[in-house]
Amino acid sequence: MTEDTKNAASSPSGDPWLLTPGPLTTSLSVKQAMLHDYGSRDATFIELNARILERLVAIVNGAGSHVSVPLQGSGTFAVEAMIGNFVPADGKLLILINGAYGKRIAKICDYYRRSYQVQESPEDVPVDTVELDATLDADAEIGHVVVVHCETTSGILNPVAEVAQIVARHGRRLLIDSMSAFGALPLDAREIEFDAVVASSNKCLEGAPGMGFCVARQSALEQTEGNSPSLVLDLYDQWRALQKNRQWRFTPPTHVLLAFDQALSEFEEEGGVAGRGGRYRENCDLLVAGMRNMGFKTLLPDELQAPIIITFHMPTNPEFDFDAFYDGLKQLGYVIYPGKLTVADSFRMGCIGRLGTGQIQGALDAVAGLLQQFGIDKISNE
Ligand SMILES: *Cc1c(COP(=O)(O)O)cnc(C)c1O
């Protein structure tokens, strides 16, 4: 990299800061943890594996009742595995949708030919618990309900605790995609009844991308034998293999696991969910206040906004060109993300990953500088 192509701001590894929904900025120590080659049968590696699985269960306070099962691949692999394992071939799934990740679950059901029904809300509205109650009353065939904890499409927080109460009251089973919330927003297995929750190594836990995991109620997981239509995504089989010889069934992503173990230590040092979520909340508050100060408008009111990723309306000033804005920010050392909404033209800025208020302030200063460069005095949202 020559001096003039180098990003103005950069992480300790010389990369731009990622204000995105993932992959995310990781600490230098997490990246350095990967500088080893372990065989999958190495005793140190096997210990590390067991330690990771225990720590994941502890994050939801599930010791004694819940177990965790790791899986190679990105987060969607874990979502697909959860659906394929927990919804039996003759079952029926109710999918609560208010964004792209909920829709993706419906697509998974199409591939697996699982019977499902959707209950859809607009992307800027939380899933409707009154309607959920009525739907479960009306349809006894629905055995499982799935909800997305934080819908990363907009950044909206869904009322998972209320959903869980309703599902439990009807005697049905709850599945949760907590990919972008796990580790940053509370999810306590002693308070929220669920059969399975899935997340990945790289979002709020700040490890390297490359593996997902499922934390499941053991008694529910035990009933899933033979359900999975996929060999590689068979969580039950993976769990049994790990119990039997403490090993993954197929080549484990050793480097990703080394990084994940380090990331979990840093997570615990930061104070677990309260500490991690607290830092993201500070990031989010500063980002929202700073952007509003310049005239940008958030899609969501504050009470619906999860401190994960923020959707901003695309300014309508003719001088505002998103590609130039994106490229300009990248050059200044901050990577943002295009919008994924169907309800409005938008862009997103994340506040998760190894970022603090220093980086958020840096990004705000970069935005202000670019607006000046574009000749925009006042952001227009009309
Ligand atoms: C990131 C994410 C996923 C999984 O995405 P991958 O790109 O497969 O890692 C699933 N659900 C939600 C809510 C997410 O934010």
Side-chain angles (χ1 to χ4, degrees), residues 74-76 101 104 148 150 152 177 179-180 203:
S74 83
T76 306
Y101 292 101
R104 188 177 291 174
V148 179
C150 164
T152 326
D177 170 356
M179 204 66 61
S180 62
K203 287 191 177 173

Side-chain angles (χ1 to χ4, degrees), residues 21-23 73-79 100-102 104-105 147-153 177-181 198-203 209-211 308-309 337 340 348 352:
S74 83
T76 306
F77 289 59
V79 177
Y101 292 101
R104 188 177 291 174
I105 295 174
V147 67
V148 179
H149 195 171
C150 164
E151 232 313 342
T152 326
T153 310
D177 170 356
S178 185
M179 204 66 61
S180 62
V198 283
S200 77
S201 53
N202 177 247
K203 287 191 177 173
M211 61 170 278
I308 305 294
I309 191 162
Y337 222 64
K340 199 177 184 166
R348 290 179 288 173
I352 59 177

Side-chain angles (χ1 to χ4, degrees), residues 299-348:
L299 173 78
L300 300 171
D302 293 346
E303 63 275 18
L304 298 181
Q305 177 72 60
I308 305 294
I309 191 162
I310 298 103
T311 300
F312 296 98
H313 285 280
M314 196 69 87
T316 50
N317 307 62
E319 303 89 349
F320 189 90
D321 172 42
F322 180 73
D323 290 336
F325 182 65
Y326 178 94
D327 290 343
L329 281 178
K330 164 85 198 297
Q331 232 160 40
L332 292 167
Y334 303 94
V335 176
I336 62 166
Y337 222 64
K340 199 177 184 166
L341 290 186
T342 53
V343 293
D345 196 14
S346 61
F347 67 91
R348 290 179 288 173

Side-chain angles (χ1 to χ4, degrees), residues 32 47 64 122 128 171 199-200 257 270 279 282 286-287 298 312 348 376:
Q32 282 166 341
E47 281 307 316
D128 188 335
S200 77
L257 284 154
E270 195 175 356
R279 172 160 57 87
E282 280 179 22
L286 178 63
L287 183 60
T298 60
F312 296 98
R348 290 179 288 173
I376 298 175

Side-chain angles (χ1 to χ4, degrees), residues 235-248:
L235 290 172
Y236 179 87
D237 201 41
Q238 178 88 318
W239 177 53
R240 284 290 185 222
L242 274 156
Q243 277 189 320
K244 213 156 106 196
N245 62 12
R246 310 182 85 200
Q247 292 187 32
W248 295 46

